[in-house]
Amino acid sequence: MSCDYRALALAGVRDLTPYQPGKPIEELERELGIRESIKLASNENPLGPSPHALEALRGHLGGISLYPDGNGFALKRRLGELLDVDPACITLGNGSNEILELVARAYLEPGRNAVFSAHAFAVYPIVVQAVGADARVAPANPADHAMPYGHDLDAMASRIDADTRVVFVANPNNPTGTWLDEAAVHGFLKRVPDETLVVMDEAYFEYVQADGYPDATRWLKAFPNLLVTRTFSKIHGLAGLRIGYGVSGEAVADILNRVRQPFNTNSLAQAGALAALDDGDHVTESVRINTLGLAQLTAACRERGLGYIPSVGNFLSIDVGREAGPVYQALLREGVIVRPVGGYGLPNHLRVTVGREQENRRFIDALDRVLRG
Ligand SMILES: *Cc1c(COP(=O)(O)O)cnc(C)c1O
């Protein structure tokens, strides 16, 4: 006799819709029999990894028969210096995605809830639902707001109640690229009850050039309920290694470190991340290319009368003026992979990652052909 093993799963898990990753280049080329495709779908760094990180990786290859340092001593020490915190305040994760998951496992369960915004990063609802907690989705700013589709912190704060243990804030948010200024974030932190953890997701921190954009780590000492997450996947170009971190008060870090696997970040990831941290040139060049690329893409939108959500990240969500799914499919046939964001409540938008000039050009030309045809 066989059982229904789907029905046997926990309710939250059974009803999960899995995260939709960007389509890998190999998969597209295998399916369509095409070549020389480009991927502008996962906010990866078009410059690739830091050369320092690559050199460190080569130097550590021979060591992979050994388990990694489960405490990530060297990397946490360096992060501690750079962030001016004790290494005991840091939690390393298999991508910052894992930190989000650890938060849910440690602080949420049925009967508790988490608050986040509409159009926020797709991992929040997944980690909340998987542990059977309630997701409270606050409405975002309206489309005609100065920060369209961005987080409305008042709406978020008003949804916090006695059972809210976590509030997720993405600054800037993906897929909107919208951001929150210093006064807004500080005012929010003061308003959130002590019992509610504020997860400030700063995956794109290094890219942001806007005046008044805050570094939330400066509030860690004042707010022991604050957890800031960052990653090596985006500007550092190490998405394939899977490493990110959370920085918080010592008590929260202690709890997160209890629930993680003992060896959740591998030895190559730790070595690559450590080297990338000190490659300021790579970061500077990545920001420069991104600023140029964003200007190139937004100018192209304006010339064509296409709307877009002003972004401070390394991506832009463009309003293609019609259902975006078929446009996405047609772009695939042009060998250009972007990301439809209908699942985020933005059915007419496509999110494109800022590439190098040539890649952006190719995307724009392909979009022209698709929208014309
Ligand atoms: C990409 C991203 C992350 C996490 O990426 P990792 O590769 O798991 O570190 C987290 N938050 C947001 C908003 C992102 O866009």
Coordinates of all heavy atoms in Angstrom, one line a residue, residues 108-200:
L108 N 9.8 31.6 14.4 CA 8.4 31.6 13.9 C 7.9 30.1 14.1 O 8.6 29.2 14.0 CB 8.3 32.0 12.5 CG 8.7 33.4 12.2 CD1 8.7 33.7 10.7 CD2 7.7 34.4 12.8
E109 N 6.6 30.0 14.3 CA 5.9 28.7 14.3 C 4.4 29.1 14.2 O 4.0 30.2 14.2 CB 6.2 28.0 15.7 CG 5.6 28.8 16.9 CD 5.9 28.1 18.2 OE1 6.3 26.9 18.2 OE2 5.7 28.7 19.2
P110 N 3.6 28.0 14.1 CA 2.1 28.3 14.0 C 1.7 29.2 15.2 O 2.1 28.9 16.3 CB 1.5 26.9 14.0 CG 2.6 26.0 13.4 CD 3.9 26.6 13.9
G111 N 0.8 30.1 14.9 CA 0.4 31.0 16.0 C 1.2 32.3 16.0 O 0.7 33.3 16.6
R112 N 2.4 32.3 15.4 CA 3.2 33.5 15.3 C 3.1 34.1 13.9 O 2.7 33.3 13.0 CB 4.6 33.3 15.7 CG 4.8 32.8 17.1 CD 6.3 32.6 17.4 NE 6.5 32.3 18.8 CZ 7.7 32.3 19.4 NH1 8.8 32.6 18.8 NH2 7.8 31.9 20.7
N113 N 3.4 35.3 13.7 CA 3.4 35.8 12.4 C 4.6 36.7 12.0 O 5.3 37.1 12.9 CB 2.1 36.6 12.1 CG 2.0 37.9 12.9 OD1 2.8 38.8 12.6 ND2 1.2 38.0 13.9
A114 N 4.7 36.9 10.7 CA 5.8 37.8 10.2 C 5.2 38.8 9.3 O 4.2 38.5 8.5 CB 6.9 37.0 9.5
V115 N 5.7 40.0 9.3 CA 5.2 41.1 8.5 C 6.2 41.4 7.4 O 7.4 41.4 7.7 CB 4.9 42.3 9.3 CG1 4.6 43.5 8.5 CG2 3.8 42.1 10.3
F116 N 5.7 41.6 6.2 CA 6.6 42.1 5.1 C 5.7 42.8 4.1 O 4.5 42.8 4.2 CB 7.4 41.0 4.5 CG 6.7 39.8 4.0 CD1 6.1 39.7 2.8 CD2 6.6 38.7 4.9 CE1 5.4 38.6 2.4 CE2 5.9 37.5 4.5 CZ 5.3 37.5 3.3
S117 N 6.3 43.4 3.1 CA 5.6 44.3 2.2 C 5.1 43.5 0.9 O 5.8 42.5 0.6 CB 6.5 45.4 1.7 OG 5.8 46.2 0.7
A118 N 4.1 43.9 0.3 CA 3.7 43.4 -1.0 C 4.9 43.7 -1.9 O 5.7 44.7 -1.7 CB 2.5 44.1 -1.6
H119 N 5.1 43.0 -2.9 CA 6.2 43.1 -3.9 C 7.6 42.9 -3.3 O 8.6 43.3 -3.9 CB 6.2 44.4 -4.7 CG 4.9 44.9 -5.1 ND1 4.1 44.1 -6.0 CD2 4.1 46.0 -4.8 CE1 2.9 44.8 -6.2 NE2 3.0 45.9 -5.5
A120 N 7.7 42.4 -2.1 CA 9.0 42.2 -1.4 C 9.6 40.9 -1.9 O 9.0 40.1 -2.6 CB 8.8 42.1 0.1
F121 N 10.9 40.7 -1.6 CA 11.7 39.5 -2.0 C 10.9 38.2 -1.7 O 10.4 38.0 -0.6 CB 13.0 39.6 -1.2 CG 14.0 38.5 -1.7 CD1 14.2 38.2 -3.0 CD2 14.7 37.8 -0.7 CE1 15.1 37.3 -3.4 CE2 15.6 36.8 -1.1 CZ 15.9 36.6 -2.4
A122 N 10.9 37.3 -2.7 CA 10.0 36.1 -2.7 C 10.4 35.1 -1.7 O 9.6 34.2 -1.3 CB 10.1 35.5 -4.1
V123 N 11.6 35.2 -1.1 CA 12.0 34.2 -0.1 C 11.2 34.4 1.2 O 11.0 33.5 2.0 CB 13.5 34.2 0.1 CG1 14.0 33.5 1.3 CG2 14.2 33.6 -1.2
Y124 N 10.8 35.7 1.5 CA 10.2 35.9 2.8 C 8.9 35.0 3.0 O 8.8 34.3 4.0 CB 9.8 37.4 3.0 CG 11.0 38.3 2.8 CD1 10.7 39.6 2.4 CD2 12.3 37.9 3.0 CE1 11.8 40.5 2.1 CE2 13.4 38.8 2.7 CZ 13.1 40.1 2.3 OH 14.1 41.0 2.1
P125 N 8.0 35.1 2.0 CA 6.8 34.3 2.2 C 7.1 32.8 2.3 O 6.4 32.1 3.0 CB 5.9 34.6 0.9 CG 6.8 35.4 0.0 CD 7.8 36.0 0.8
I126 N 8.1 32.4 1.5 CA 8.4 30.9 1.5 C 8.9 30.5 2.9 O 8.4 29.5 3.4 CB 9.5 30.6 0.4 CG1 8.9 30.8 -0.9 CG2 10.0 29.2 0.6 CD1 9.9 30.7 -2.1
V127 N 9.8 31.2 3.5 CA 10.4 30.7 4.8 C 9.3 30.8 5.9 O 9.3 30.0 6.8 CB 11.7 31.5 5.2 CG1 12.8 31.2 4.1 CG2 11.5 32.9 5.4
V128 N 8.5 31.8 5.8 CA 7.4 32.0 6.8 C 6.4 30.8 6.7 O 6.1 30.2 7.7 CB 6.7 33.3 6.6 CG1 5.5 33.4 7.6 CG2 7.7 34.5 6.9
Q129 N 6.0 30.6 5.5 CA 5.0 29.5 5.3 C 5.5 28.1 5.6 O 4.8 27.3 6.2 CB 4.5 29.5 3.8 CG 3.3 28.7 3.6 CD 2.9 28.5 2.1 OE1 3.1 29.5 1.4 NE2 2.5 27.4 1.7
A130 N 6.8 27.9 5.3 CA 7.3 26.6 5.5 C 7.3 26.2 7.0 O 7.3 25.0 7.3 CB 8.8 26.5 5.0
V131 N 7.4 27.1 7.9 CA 7.3 26.8 9.3 C 5.9 27.0 9.9 O 5.7 26.9 11.1 CB 8.4 27.6 10.2 CG1 9.8 27.3 9.7 CG2 8.1 29.1 10.1
G132 N 4.9 27.2 9.1 CA 3.6 27.2 9.5 C 3.1 28.5 10.2 O 2.1 28.6 10.8
A133 N 3.9 29.6 10.1 CA 3.6 30.8 10.7 C 2.7 31.6 9.7 O 2.6 31.3 8.5 CB 4.8 31.6 11.0
D134 N 2.1 32.7 10.2 CA 1.2 33.5 9.3 C 2.1 34.6 8.6 O 2.9 35.2 9.3 CB 0.1 34.1 10.1 CG -0.9 33.1 10.6 OD1 -1.2 32.2 9.8 OD2 -1.4 33.2 11.7
A135 N 1.8 34.8 7.4 CA 2.4 35.9 6.7 C 1.4 37.1 6.6 O 0.3 36.9 6.2 CB 2.8 35.5 5.3
R136 N 1.9 38.2 7.1 CA 1.0 39.4 7.0 C 1.6 40.4 6.0 O 2.7 40.9 6.2 CB 1.0 40.1 8.4 CG 0.3 39.3 9.4 CD 0.0 40.1 10.6 NE -1.0 39.4 11.4 CZ -1.7 40.0 12.3 NH1 -1.5 41.2 12.7 NH2 -2.6 39.3 13.0
V137 N 1.0 40.5 4.9 CA 1.5 41.3 3.8 C 1.0 42.7 3.8 O -0.3 42.9 3.7 CB 1.3 40.6 2.4 CG1 1.9 41.4 1.3 CG2 1.7 39.2 2.5
A138 N 1.8 43.7 4.0 CA 1.4 45.1 4.1 C 1.3 45.6 2.6 O 2.2 45.3 1.8 CB 2.3 45.9 4.9
P139 N 0.3 46.4 2.3 CA 0.3 47.0 1.0 C 1.5 47.9 0.8 O 2.0 48.5 1.7 CB -1.0 47.8 1.0 CG -1.5 48.0 2.4 CD -0.8 46.9 3.2
A140 N 2.0 47.9 -0.5 CA 3.1 48.8 -0.8 C 2.7 50.1 -1.2 O 1.5 50.4 -1.3 CB 3.9 48.1 -1.9
N141 N 3.6 51.0 -1.5 CA 3.3 52.3 -2.0 C 2.6 52.2 -3.3 O 2.8 51.2 -4.1 CB 4.6 53.1 -2.3 CG 5.3 53.5 -1.1 OD1 4.8 53.6 0.0 ND2 6.6 53.7 -1.2
P142 N 1.6 53.1 -3.6 CA 0.9 53.0 -4.9 C 1.8 53.3 -6.1 O 2.9 53.9 -6.0 CB -0.2 54.1 -4.8 CG 0.3 55.0 -3.7 CD 1.2 54.2 -2.8
A143 N 1.4 53.0 -7.3 CA 2.2 53.1 -8.5 C 2.5 54.6 -8.8 O 3.6 54.8 -9.5 CB 1.4 52.5 -9.7
D144 N 1.7 55.5 -8.3 CA 2.0 56.9 -8.6 C 2.8 57.6 -7.5 O 3.0 58.8 -7.5 CB 0.7 57.7 -8.9 CG -0.2 57.7 -7.7 OD1 0.1 57.0 -6.7 OD2 -1.3 58.3 -7.8
H145 N 3.3 56.8 -6.6 CA 4.1 57.4 -5.5 C 5.6 57.7 -6.0 O 6.0 57.1 -7.0 CB 4.2 56.3 -4.4 CG 4.8 56.7 -3.1 ND1 6.1 56.7 -2.8 CD2 4.2 57.0 -1.9 CE1 6.3 57.1 -1.6 NE2 5.2 57.3 -1.0
A146 N 6.3 58.5 -5.3 CA 7.7 58.9 -5.7 C 8.5 57.6 -5.6 O 9.5 57.5 -6.4 CB 8.2 59.9 -4.7
M147 N 8.2 56.7 -4.8 CA 8.9 55.4 -4.7 C 7.9 54.3 -5.0 O 7.4 53.6 -4.1 CB 9.5 55.2 -3.3 CG 10.7 54.3 -3.1 SD 12.2 55.0 -3.8 CE 12.7 56.0 -2.5
P148 N 7.5 54.2 -6.3 CA 6.4 53.3 -6.6 C 6.6 51.8 -6.3 O 7.8 51.3 -6.5 CB 6.3 53.5 -8.2 CG 7.6 54.0 -8.6 CD 8.1 54.8 -7.5
Y149 N 5.6 51.2 -5.7 CA 5.7 49.8 -5.3 C 6.7 49.5 -4.1 O 7.0 48.4 -3.8 CB 6.0 48.9 -6.5 CG 5.1 49.0 -7.7 CD1 5.6 49.7 -8.8 CD2 3.8 48.6 -7.6 CE1 4.8 49.9 -9.9 CE2 3.0 48.7 -8.7 CZ 3.5 49.4 -9.9 OH 2.7 49.5 -11.0
G150 N 7.3 50.6 -3.6 CA 8.2 50.4 -2.5 C 7.5 50.1 -1.2 O 6.3 50.2 -1.0
H151 N 8.3 49.8 -0.1 CA 7.7 49.5 1.2 C 7.1 50.7 1.8 O 7.6 51.8 1.7 CB 8.9 49.1 2.2 CG 9.5 47.8 1.9 ND1 9.3 47.0 0.7 CD2 10.4 47.0 2.6 CE1 10.0 45.9 0.8 NE2 10.7 45.9 1.9
D152 N 5.9 50.5 2.4 CA 5.2 51.6 3.1 C 5.4 51.2 4.6 O 4.7 50.3 5.1 CB 3.7 51.6 2.7 CG 2.9 52.5 3.6 OD1 3.4 53.0 4.6 OD2 1.8 52.8 3.2
L153 N 6.4 51.8 5.2 CA 6.7 51.4 6.6 C 5.6 51.6 7.6 O 5.5 50.9 8.6 CB 8.0 52.1 7.1 CG 9.3 51.6 6.4 CD1 10.5 52.4 6.9 CD2 9.6 50.1 6.5
D154 N 4.8 52.7 7.4 CA 3.6 52.9 8.3 C 2.7 51.7 8.2 O 2.2 51.2 9.2 CB 2.9 54.2 7.9 CG 3.7 55.4 8.3 OD1 4.5 55.3 9.3 OD2 3.6 56.5 7.7
A155 N 2.4 51.3 6.9 CA 1.5 50.2 6.7 C 2.1 48.9 7.4 O 1.4 48.1 8.0 CB 1.2 49.9 5.2
M156 N 3.4 48.7 7.3 CA 4.0 47.6 7.9 C 3.9 47.6 9.4 O 3.6 46.6 10.0 CB 5.5 47.5 7.4 CG 5.6 47.1 5.9 SD 7.3 47.1 5.3 CE 8.0 45.7 6.1
A157 N 4.3 48.8 10.0 CA 4.2 48.9 11.4 C 2.8 48.6 12.0 O 2.6 48.0 13.0 CB 4.7 50.3 11.8
S158 N 1.8 49.1 11.2 CA 0.4 48.9 11.7 C 0.0 47.5 11.7 O -1.0 47.1 12.3 CB -0.5 49.8 10.9 OG -0.7 49.3 9.6
R159 N 0.7 46.6 11.0 CA 0.3 45.2 10.9 C 1.0 44.4 12.0 O 0.8 43.2 12.1 CB 0.5 44.6 9.5 CG -0.7 44.9 8.7 CD -0.5 45.0 7.2 NE -1.7 45.3 6.6 CZ -2.2 46.6 6.4 NH1 -1.5 47.6 6.9 NH2 -3.3 46.8 5.8
I160 N 1.9 45.0 12.8 CA 2.6 44.3 13.8 C 1.7 44.1 15.0 O 1.0 45.1 15.4 CB 3.9 45.0 14.2 CG1 4.9 45.0 13.0 CG2 4.5 44.4 15.5 CD1 6.1 45.9 13.3
D161 N 1.5 42.9 15.6 CA 0.7 42.7 16.8 C 1.6 41.9 17.8 O 2.7 41.7 17.6 CB -0.6 42.1 16.5 CG -0.5 40.7 16.0 OD1 0.6 40.1 16.1 OD2 -1.6 40.1 15.6
A162 N 0.9 41.5 18.8 CA 1.6 40.8 19.9 C 2.2 39.5 19.5 O 3.2 39.0 20.1 CB 0.7 40.5 21.1
D163 N 1.8 38.9 18.4 CA 2.3 37.6 17.9 C 3.3 37.8 16.7 O 3.8 36.8 16.1 CB 1.1 36.7 17.4 CG 0.2 36.4 18.5 OD1 0.7 36.1 19.6 OD2 -1.0 36.4 18.3
T164 N 3.6 39.0 16.4 CA 4.6 39.3 15.3 C 6.0 39.1 15.9 O 6.4 39.9 16.8 CB 4.4 40.7 14.7 OG1 3.1 40.9 14.3 CG2 5.4 40.9 13.5
R165 N 6.7 38.1 15.4 CA 8.1 37.9 15.9 C 9.2 38.5 14.9 O 10.3 38.7 15.3 CB 8.3 36.5 16.2 CG 7.7 35.9 17.4 CD 8.3 36.6 18.7 NE 7.4 36.3 19.8 CZ 6.4 37.1 20.1 NH1 6.1 38.2 19.3 NH2 5.6 36.9 21.1
V166 N 8.8 38.6 13.7 CA 9.7 39.0 12.6 C 9.1 40.0 11.7 O 7.9 39.8 11.3 CB 10.2 37.8 11.8 CG1 11.3 38.2 10.8 CG2 10.8 36.7 12.7
V167 N 9.8 41.0 11.3 CA 9.4 41.9 10.2 C 10.6 41.9 9.2 O 11.7 42.2 9.6 CB 8.9 43.2 10.6 CG1 9.8 43.9 11.6 CG2 8.7 44.2 9.4
F168 N 10.3 41.6 7.9 CA 11.4 41.6 6.9 C 11.3 42.9 6.1 O 10.2 43.3 5.6 CB 11.1 40.5 5.9 CG 11.3 39.1 6.5 CD1 10.2 38.3 6.9 CD2 12.6 38.6 6.6 CE1 10.4 37.0 7.4 CE2 12.8 37.3 7.1 CZ 11.7 36.5 7.5
V169 N 12.4 43.6 6.1 CA 12.5 44.9 5.3 C 13.7 44.7 4.3 O 14.8 44.4 4.7 CB 12.8 46.1 6.2 CG1 12.9 47.4 5.4 CG2 11.8 46.2 7.3
A170 N 13.4 44.9 3.0 CA 14.5 44.8 2.0 C 14.9 46.2 1.6 O 14.0 47.0 1.2 CB 14.0 44.0 0.8
N171 N 16.1 46.5 1.8 CA 16.6 47.9 1.5 C 17.9 47.9 0.8 O 19.0 47.7 1.4 CB 16.7 48.7 2.8 CG 16.8 50.2 2.5 OD1 16.3 50.7 1.5 ND2 17.4 50.9 3.4
P172 N 18.0 48.0 -0.5 CA 16.8 48.2 -1.4 C 16.0 46.9 -1.6 O 16.6 45.8 -1.3 CB 17.4 48.7 -2.7 CG 18.7 48.1 -2.7 CD 19.2 48.1 -1.3
N173 N 14.8 47.0 -2.0 CA 14.0 45.8 -2.3 C 14.3 45.2 -3.7 O 14.6 46.0 -4.6 CB 12.5 46.1 -2.1 CG 11.6 44.9 -2.3 OD1 11.9 43.8 -1.8 ND2 10.6 45.0 -3.1
N174 N 14.2 43.9 -3.8 CA 14.2 43.2 -5.1 C 12.8 42.6 -5.2 O 12.4 41.9 -4.2 CB 15.3 42.1 -5.0 CG 15.2 41.1 -6.1 OD1 14.6 41.3 -7.1 ND2 15.8 40.0 -5.9
P175 N 12.1 42.8 -6.3 CA 12.5 43.2 -7.6 C 12.2 44.7 -7.9 O 12.3 45.1 -9.1 CB 11.6 42.4 -8.5 CG 10.3 42.3 -7.7 CD 10.7 42.2 -6.3
T176 N 11.8 45.5 -6.9 CA 11.4 46.9 -7.3 C 12.6 47.8 -7.3 O 12.6 48.8 -8.1 CB 10.4 47.5 -6.2 OG1 11.1 47.4 -4.9 CG2 9.2 46.6 -6.2
G177 N 13.7 47.5 -6.6 CA 14.9 48.5 -6.6 C 14.6 49.7 -5.7 O 15.4 50.6 -5.7
T178 N 13.5 49.8 -5.1 CA 13.1 50.9 -4.2 C 13.9 50.8 -2.9 O 14.3 49.8 -2.5 CB 11.6 50.9 -3.9 OG1 11.2 49.6 -3.5 CG2 10.8 51.2 -5.2
W179 N 14.0 52.0 -2.3 CA 14.8 52.0 -1.0 C 14.2 53.0 0.0 O 13.3 53.7 -0.3 CB 16.3 52.5 -1.3 CG 16.3 53.8 -2.0 CD1 16.0 54.2 -3.2 CD2 16.8 55.1 -1.3 NE1 16.2 55.5 -3.4 CE2 16.7 56.1 -2.3 CE3 17.2 55.4 0.0 CZ2 17.0 57.4 -2.0 CZ3 17.6 56.7 0.3 CH2 17.5 57.7 -0.7
L180 N 14.7 52.9 1.2 CA 14.2 53.6 2.4 C 15.4 54.5 2.9 O 16.5 54.0 3.0 CB 13.8 52.6 3.4 CG 12.6 51.7 3.0 CD1 12.6 50.5 3.8 CD2 11.3 52.5 3.0
D181 N 15.1 55.7 3.3 CA 16.1 56.6 3.7 C 16.4 56.4 5.3 O 15.6 55.7 5.9 CB 15.9 58.0 3.3 CG 14.8 58.7 4.1 OD1 14.3 58.2 5.1 OD2 14.3 59.7 3.6
E182 N 17.4 57.0 5.7 CA 17.9 56.9 7.1 C 16.8 57.3 8.1 O 16.6 56.5 9.1 CB 19.1 57.9 7.2 CG 19.7 57.9 8.5 CD 21.0 58.8 8.5 OE1 21.5 59.1 7.4 OE2 21.3 59.3 9.5
A183 N 16.1 58.4 7.9 CA 15.1 58.8 8.8 C 13.9 57.8 8.9 O 13.4 57.5 10.0 CB 14.6 60.2 8.5
A184 N 13.6 57.3 7.7 CA 12.5 56.4 7.7 C 12.8 55.1 8.4 O 12.0 54.6 9.2 CB 12.1 56.1 6.2
V185 N 14.0 54.6 8.2 CA 14.4 53.3 8.8 C 14.6 53.5 10.3 O 14.1 52.7 11.1 CB 15.7 52.7 8.2 CG1 16.2 51.5 9.0 CG2 15.5 52.4 6.7
H186 N 15.2 54.6 10.7 CA 15.4 54.8 12.1 C 14.1 55.0 12.9 O 13.9 54.4 13.9 CB 16.3 56.1 12.3 CG 16.8 56.2 13.7 ND1 16.8 57.4 14.4 CD2 17.3 55.3 14.6 CE1 17.2 57.3 15.6 NE2 17.5 56.0 15.8
G187 N 13.2 55.8 12.2 CA 11.8 55.9 12.8 C 11.1 54.6 13.0 O 10.5 54.4 14.0
F188 N 11.3 53.7 12.0 CA 10.6 52.4 12.0 C 11.2 51.6 13.2 O 10.5 51.0 13.9 CB 10.8 51.7 10.7 CG 10.2 50.4 10.5 CD1 8.8 50.3 10.4 CD2 10.9 49.2 10.5 CE1 8.2 49.1 10.3 CE2 10.3 48.0 10.4 CZ 8.9 47.9 10.3
L189 N 12.5 51.6 13.3 CA 13.2 50.8 14.3 C 12.7 51.2 15.7 O 12.5 50.4 16.6 CB 14.7 50.9 14.2 CG 15.4 50.2 13.1 CD1 16.9 50.6 12.9 CD2 15.3 48.7 13.2
K190 N 12.5 52.5 15.9 CA 12.0 53.0 17.2 C 10.6 52.6 17.5 O 10.2 52.4 18.6 CB 12.1 54.6 17.2 CG 13.6 55.0 17.4 CD 13.7 56.5 17.7 CE 13.5 57.3 16.5 NZ 13.8 58.7 16.7
R191 N 9.8 52.4 16.4 CA 8.4 52.0 16.5 C 8.2 50.5 16.8 O 7.2 50.2 17.4 CB 7.8 52.4 15.2 CG 6.6 53.4 15.4 CD 6.1 53.7 14.0 NE 4.7 53.3 13.9 CZ 4.0 53.6 12.8 NH1 4.5 54.2 11.8 NH2 2.7 53.3 12.8
V192 N 9.1 49.7 16.2 CA 8.8 48.2 16.3 C 9.0 47.8 17.7 O 10.0 48.1 18.4 CB 9.8 47.5 15.3 CG1 9.7 46.0 15.5 CG2 9.5 47.9 13.9
P193 N 8.1 46.9 18.3 CA 8.3 46.5 19.6 C 9.6 45.6 19.8 O 10.0 45.0 18.9 CB 7.1 45.6 19.9 CG 6.2 45.7 18.7 CD 6.9 46.4 17.6
D194 N 10.1 45.6 21.0 CA 11.3 44.9 21.3 C 11.2 43.4 21.0 O 12.2 42.8 20.6 CB 11.6 45.0 22.8 CG 12.0 46.4 23.2 OD1 12.2 47.2 22.3 OD2 12.0 46.7 24.4
E195 N 10.0 42.8 21.1 CA 9.8 41.4 20.9 C 9.8 41.0 19.4 O 9.8 39.8 19.0 CB 8.4 40.9 21.4 CG 8.3 41.1 22.9 CD 7.9 42.5 23.3 OE1 7.4 43.3 22.4 OE2 8.2 42.9 24.4
T196 N 9.8 42.0 18.5 CA 9.8 41.7 17.1 C 11.2 42.0 16.5 O 11.7 43.0 16.6 CB 8.7 42.7 16.4 OG1 7.5 42.4 17.0 CG2 8.7 42.4 14.9
L197 N 11.7 40.9 15.8 CA 13.0 41.0 15.2 C 12.8 41.8 13.9 O 11.9 41.5 13.1 CB 13.4 39.6 14.9 CG 14.9 39.3 14.9 CD1 15.4 39.5 16.3 CD2 15.1 37.8 14.5
V198 N 13.7 42.8 13.6 CA 13.7 43.5 12.4 C 14.8 42.9 11.5 O 16.0 43.1 11.8 CB 13.8 45.0 12.5 CG1 13.9 45.7 11.2 CG2 12.7 45.6 13.4
V199 N 14.4 42.2 10.4 CA 15.5 41.7 9.5 C 15.6 42.7 8.4 O 14.7 42.9 7.6 CB 15.1 40.3 8.9 CG1 16.1 39.9 7.9 CG2 14.9 39.3 10.0
M200 N 16.8 43.4 8.4 CA 17.0 44.4 7.3 C 17.9 43.7 6.3 O 19.1 43.5 6.5 CB 17.8 45.6 8.0 CG 17.9 46.8 7.3 SD 16.3 47.6 6.9 CE 15.7 48.0 8.5

